[in-house]
mmCIF file of all heavy atoms in Angstrom:
data_model
loop_
_atom_site.group_PDB
_atom_site.id
_atom_site.type_symbol
_atom_site.label_atom_id
_atom_site.label_comp_id
_atom_site.label_asym_id
_atom_site.label_seq_id
_atom_site.Cartn_x
_atom_site.Cartn_y
_atom_site.Cartn_z
ATOM 1 N N LEU A 1565 -0.749 32.144 10.089
ATOM 2 C CA LEU A 1565 -1.167 31.142 11.058
ATOM 3 C C LEU A 1565 -1.745 31.783 12.306
ATOM 4 O O LEU A 1565 -1.284 32.826 12.766
ATOM 5 C CB LEU A 1565 0.008 30.244 11.418
ATOM 6 C CG LEU A 1565 0.365 29.227 10.337
ATOM 7 C CD1 LEU A 1565 1.749 28.646 10.570
ATOM 8 C CD2 LEU A 1565 -0.681 28.116 10.296
ATOM 9 N N LYS A 1566 -2.764 31.136 12.842
ATOM 10 C CA LYS A 1566 -3.475 31.596 14.016
ATOM 11 C C LYS A 1566 -3.317 30.591 15.145
ATOM 12 O O LYS A 1566 -2.972 29.431 14.919
ATOM 13 C CB LYS A 1566 -4.967 31.781 13.696
ATOM 14 C CG LYS A 1566 -5.243 32.658 12.496
ATOM 15 C CD LYS A 1566 -6.725 32.646 12.153
ATOM 16 C CE LYS A 1566 -7.023 33.488 10.937
ATOM 17 N NZ LYS A 1566 -8.464 33.445 10.589
ATOM 18 N N LEU A 1567 -3.593 31.038 16.360
ATOM 19 C CA LEU A 1567 -3.503 30.148 17.509
ATOM 20 C C LEU A 1567 -4.364 28.905 17.307
ATOM 21 O O LEU A 1567 -3.953 27.799 17.685
ATOM 22 C CB LEU A 1567 -3.928 30.869 18.786
ATOM 23 C CG LEU A 1567 -3.032 32.014 19.253
ATOM 24 C CD1 LEU A 1567 -3.619 32.643 20.510
ATOM 25 C CD2 LEU A 1567 -1.616 31.524 19.530
ATOM 26 N N GLU A 1568 -5.533 29.073 16.719
ATOM 27 C CA GLU A 1568 -6.440 27.955 16.533
ATOM 28 C C GLU A 1568 -5.985 26.964 15.469
ATOM 29 O O GLU A 1568 -6.619 25.926 15.269
ATOM 30 C CB GLU A 1568 -7.855 28.448 16.212
ATOM 31 C CG GLU A 1568 -7.916 29.415 15.044
ATOM 32 C CD GLU A 1568 -7.919 30.868 15.480
ATOM 33 O OE1 GLU A 1568 -7.165 31.224 16.407
ATOM 34 O OE2 GLU A 1568 -8.688 31.657 14.894
ATOM 35 N N ASP A 1569 -4.887 27.277 14.766
ATOM 36 C CA ASP A 1569 -4.318 26.334 13.817
ATOM 37 C C ASP A 1569 -3.456 25.279 14.506
ATOM 38 O O ASP A 1569 -2.997 24.336 13.849
ATOM 39 C CB ASP A 1569 -3.475 27.059 12.769
ATOM 40 C CG ASP A 1569 -4.316 27.936 11.854
ATOM 41 O OD1 ASP A 1569 -5.437 27.524 11.490
ATOM 42 O OD2 ASP A 1569 -3.843 29.033 11.492
ATOM 43 N N THR A 1570 -3.213 25.429 15.788
ATOM 44 C CA THR A 1570 -2.422 24.456 16.524
ATOM 45 C C THR A 1570 -3.099 23.093 16.486
ATOM 46 O O THR A 1570 -4.251 22.948 16.898
ATOM 47 C CB THR A 1570 -2.225 24.906 17.971
ATOM 48 O OG1 THR A 1570 -1.456 26.112 17.997
ATOM 49 C CG2 THR A 1570 -1.498 23.844 18.777
ATOM 50 N N ALA A 1571 -2.387 22.098 15.983
ATOM 51 C CA ALA A 1571 -2.957 20.765 15.818
ATOM 52 C C ALA A 1571 -1.886 19.835 15.283
ATOM 53 O O ALA A 1571 -0.798 20.264 14.890
ATOM 54 C CB ALA A 1571 -4.148 20.795 14.851
ATOM 55 N N VAL A 1572 -2.209 18.551 15.265
ATOM 56 C CA VAL A 1572 -1.418 17.582 14.526
ATOM 57 C C VAL A 1572 -1.984 17.516 13.118
ATOM 58 O O VAL A 1572 -3.193 17.320 12.937
ATOM 59 C CB VAL A 1572 -1.445 16.193 15.181
ATOM 60 C CG1 VAL A 1572 -0.661 15.190 14.339
ATOM 61 C CG2 VAL A 1572 -0.867 16.260 16.589
ATOM 62 N N TYR A 1573 -1.134 17.670 12.136
ATOM 63 C CA TYR A 1573 -1.546 17.696 10.743
ATOM 64 C C TYR A 1573 -1.214 16.373 10.089
ATOM 65 O O TYR A 1573 -0.085 15.876 10.183
ATOM 66 C CB TYR A 1573 -0.863 18.850 10.009
ATOM 67 C CG TYR A 1573 -1.469 20.187 10.337
ATOM 68 C CD1 TYR A 1573 -1.312 20.735 11.605
ATOM 69 C CD2 TYR A 1573 -2.219 20.885 9.402
ATOM 70 C CE1 TYR A 1573 -1.889 21.949 11.931
ATOM 71 C CE2 TYR A 1573 -2.794 22.104 9.717
ATOM 72 C CZ TYR A 1573 -2.631 22.628 10.981
ATOM 73 O OH TYR A 1573 -3.209 23.834 11.303
ATOM 74 N N TYR A 1574 -2.204 15.795 9.413
ATOM 75 C CA TYR A 1574 -2.083 14.483 8.806
ATOM 76 C C TYR A 1574 -2.269 14.550 7.301
ATOM 77 O O TYR A 1574 -3.122 15.285 6.801
ATOM 78 C CB TYR A 1574 -3.138 13.524 9.367
ATOM 79 C CG TYR A 1574 -2.999 13.229 10.835
ATOM 80 C CD1 TYR A 1574 -3.694 13.964 11.781
ATOM 81 C CD2 TYR A 1574 -2.173 12.199 11.280
ATOM 82 C CE1 TYR A 1574 -3.576 13.696 13.129
ATOM 83 C CE2 TYR A 1574 -2.051 11.920 12.626
ATOM 84 C CZ TYR A 1574 -2.756 12.668 13.547
ATOM 85 O OH TYR A 1574 -2.637 12.389 14.881
ATOM 86 N N CYS A 1575 -1.496 13.749 6.608
ATOM 87 C CA CYS A 1575 -1.630 13.578 5.172
ATOM 88 C C CYS A 1575 -2.409 12.300 4.894
ATOM 89 O O CYS A 1575 -2.274 11.316 5.618
ATOM 90 C CB CYS A 1575 -0.242 13.513 4.530
ATOM 91 S SG CYS A 1575 -0.235 13.275 2.749
ATOM 92 N N ALA A 1576 -3.221 12.314 3.844
ATOM 93 C CA ALA A 1576 -4.010 11.157 3.463
ATOM 94 C C ALA A 1576 -3.931 10.938 1.958
ATOM 95 O O ALA A 1576 -3.815 11.895 1.189
ATOM 96 C CB ALA A 1576 -5.470 11.338 3.875
#
Side-chain angles (χ1 to χ4, degrees):
L1565 285 164
K1566 307 173 181 179
L1567 294 178
E1568 53 264 41
D1569 293 322
T1570 296
V1572 177
Y1573 284 69
Y1574 296 94
C1575 179

